[in-house]
Amino acid sequence: EAEVAQSPRYKITEKSQAVAFWCDPISGHATLYWYRQILGQGPELLVQFQDESVVDDSQLPKDRFSAERLKGVDSTLKIQPAELGDSAMYLCASSHDRSNNSPLHFGNGTRLTVT
Amino acid sequence: AQSVAQPEDQVNVAEGNPLTVKCTYSVSGNPYLFWYVQYPNRGLQFLLKYITGDNLVKGSYGFEAEFNKSQTSFHLKKPSALVSDSALYFCAVRQLWDDYKLSFGAGTTVTVRA
């Protein structure tokens, strides 16, 4: 079964440094999501793409976070500068489309630790 | 606004016993409801969904969920739990008018003891 690929699996960085995460969705999936999951909580949506366009980034801290999906396939999420409170699991997910019938398929995530 | 609540942080059951993980929702209009499971250091895996139709929905790994509109609930159930069912379970709701945004509950940790 096709999977959502994410890298790296783990990342340790010092505060004020820049960090980037990469996601390759399931082939043919038009919708891509980045979620942040703080330990003990449910995932929270950071940004949602439909093809190469952002359709929802209302919860993305835009002063330090950025996301792109230039060719409508893979995506990069960047944090600059990282803060201690950014330590979390960053999950990428994709779905065939935006409709209510399309379940999300998640990658295994990138666990970020900011020291 | 939409929200989903999982009133229990933890559920503990013995292997072979029935397992229930509770979920209630609050949305305007018809809800689209999902259950996901997460194993340690892994992403979420889709279990089942309710969109419309039969209130009892069957999903992966022997799980099922019952949609109850009057009680605004969507509880996850398994008749006979396995040790391998021990994981973190998330209920989620999606709403048509909110650009199909999927919102998750806080999660319930299930521990099945041998």
Side-chain angles (χ1 to χ4, degrees), chain A residues 9-10 33 35 37 40-43 45 48 55-56 58 91 98-104 106-108 111, chain B residues 32 34 36 38 41-46 49 51 88 90 94 96 98-107:
Chain A
R9 284 297 309 278
Y10 303 93
Y33 312 77
Y35 280 85
Q37 184 181 18
Q41 299 181 18
L45 181 67
Q48 177 181 339
V55 296
D56 187 348
S58 56
L91 295 166
R98 294 161 62 189
S99 77
N100 50 288
N101 282 324
S102 292
L104 274 61
F106 284 83
N108 285 328
R111 182 167 296 282
Chain B
Y32 302 109
F34 300 80
Y36 287 81
Q38 185 178 33
N41 293 314
R42 302 293 298 275
L44 280 69
Q45 296 179 30
F46 169 73
K49 65 181 178 183
I51 304 299
L88 184 55
F90 290 100
R94 202 172 205 177
L96 179 69
D98 196 15
D99 206 26
Y100 306 105
K101 184 183 297 183
L102 189 66
S103 298
F104 288 88

Side-chain angles (χ1 to χ4, degrees), chain A residues 49-63:
Chain A
F49 289 91
Q50 181 65 24
D51 298 311
E52 67 276 8
S53 301
V54 173
V55 296
D56 187 348
D57 63 356
S58 56
Q59 300 303 310
L60 188 71
K62 298 181 189 63
D63 58 333

Side-chain angles (χ1 to χ4, degrees), chain A residues 48-104:
Chain A
Q48 177 181 339
F49 289 91
Q50 181 65 24
D51 298 311
E52 67 276 8
S53 301
V54 173
V55 296
D56 187 348
D57 63 356
S58 56
Q59 300 303 310
L60 188 71
K62 298 181 189 63
D63 58 333
R64 298 186 300 108
F65 286 64
S66 64
E68 59 183 17
R69 193 185 184 197
L70 293 176
K71 298 182 180 179
V73 181
D74 58 339
S75 176
T76 302
L77 178 69
K78 297 179 181 178
I79 308 175
Q80 183 175 17
E83 295 181 352
L84 295 177
D86 297 331
S87 295
M89 175 79 87
Y90 290 83
L91 295 166
C92 179
S94 69
S95 63
H96 185 265
D97 53 52
R98 294 161 62 189
S99 77
N100 50 288
N101 282 324
S102 292
L104 274 61

